[in-house]
Amino acid sequence: TQLLEQSPQFLSIQEGENLTVYCNSSSVFSSLQWYRQEPGEGPVLLVTVVTGGEVKKLKRLTFQFGDARKDSSLHITAAQPGDTGLYLCAGASNTDKLIFGTGTRLQVFP
Amino acid sequence: NAGVTQTPKFQVLKTGQSMTLQCAQDMNHEYMSWYRQDPGMGLRLIHYSVGAGITDQGEVPNGYNVSRSTTEDFPLRLLSAAPSQTSVYFCASSGYNEQYFGPGTRLTVT
């Protein structure tokens, strides 16, 4: 069974701080996705990374896929209250089924 | 273009009752899936479909049935509800490397 572990599980920070969320597995994935979910809503796709070592930037968010395609990180620069939410990573296997991590709940205080 | 729609938004069932959660998408995607989300466990795949007339089991299929008679609709049926099925249910529709989630159905089984 493929597992994706996210860390930290919870993160509370002040506005303006930087943070990194990690997503780790012992399995290789063909691609990895990051989602953000707000209370009462479904997850919303932020980015898909496909190539080992790939780095993608989305405004203040930087996503990296590990060289071996087993892990990924999400770095947020100068966090804002609007970044508050549940961040989920999800890995796609060669069967195209997505395996989701357990999530990182981020709270950014003004 | 409504994306993925789910009904109902909330539902309370008694143990042993049956019901159907509705899901529809208007993006002409072949791949659709159902997940349940429980605290601390991320999203777990219940059933999925790669096209009309084709369905398959995910990680946690017991107690649930699905059918896919059209590309647009993918209902999830609970045959005999149990308290362990209390959860938030998300339907998703996927194009290449992009997955879109519905707003979710919060189900409580008493």
Side-chain angles (χ1 to χ4, degrees):
Chain A
T1 303
Q2 293 175 302
L3 292 174
L4 269 171
E5 295 185 1
Q6 283 186 240
S7 61
Q9 193 175 358
F10 300 97
L11 195 52
S12 292
I13 60 172
Q14 292 293 129
E15 181 176 3
E17 291 184 26
N18 300 333
L19 67 116
T20 302
V21 176
Y22 299 93
C23 177
N24 295 297
S25 175
S26 58
S27 302
V28 175
F29 293 101
S30 58
S31 66
L32 197 135
Q33 300 178 347
W34 284 92
Y35 293 80
R36 187 164 78 98
Q37 184 180 19
E38 299 194 29
E41 298 182 9
V44 175
L45 179 65
L46 296 174
V47 77
T48 301
V49 284
V50 178
T51 307
E54 182 177 1
V55 176
K56 279 192 175 178
K57 291 194 174 186
L58 188 66
K59 296 184 182 178
R60 293 175 295 101
L61 279 59
T62 301
F63 304 86
Q64 185 162 9
F65 201 12
D67 290 341
R69 290 186 287 128
K70 293 182 180 181
D71 55 87
S72 181
S73 63
L74 157 61
H75 182 80
I76 301 179
T77 303
Q80 299 178 1
D83 295 327
T84 293
L86 177 67
Y87 288 82
L88 295 160
C89 65
S93 66
N94 52 9
T95 63
D96 289 332
K97 285 192 282 188
L98 279 181
I99 306 296
F100 277 85
T102 50
T104 294
R105 193 165 295 280
L106 172 66
Q107 177 78 53
V108 182
F109 293 98
Chain B
N1 189 335
V4 180
T5 57
Q6 289 183 239
T7 56
K9 183 79 171 169
F10 301 95
Q11 182 71 50
V12 179
L13 292 178
K14 294 184 190 256
T15 297
Q17 287 185 316
S18 62
M19 79 158 295
T20 299
L21 308 185
Q22 301 293 342
C23 174
Q25 53 98 3
D26 61 2
M27 296 173 281
N28 205 32
H29 287 158
E30 293 293 334
Y31 191 101
M32 295 184 73
S33 49
W34 275 101
Y35 294 86
R36 59 177 289 173
Q37 185 174 34
D38 302 293
M41 302 192 73
L43 285 144
R44 292 182 292 168
L45 183 64
I46 304 171
H47 284 285
Y48 66 99
S49 168
V50 299
I54 307 169
T55 64
D56 207 346
Q57 297 180 347
E59 183 185 353
V60 288
N62 292 341
Y64 307 95
N65 272 359
V66 291
S67 59
R68 184 92 180 271
S69 56
T70 67
T71 299
E72 293 78 21
D73 300 297
F74 191 41
L76 177 73
R77 280 183 289 279
L78 279 70
L79 308 172
S80 178
S84 61
Q85 292 178 304
T86 293
S87 187
V88 182
Y89 291 86
F90 289 100
C91 177
S93 165
S94 304
Y96 179 70
N97 264 351
E98 295 205 8
Q99 184 154 240
Y100 299 90
F101 284 85
T105 295
R106 185 173 293 274
L107 175 68
T108 302
V109 183
T110 61

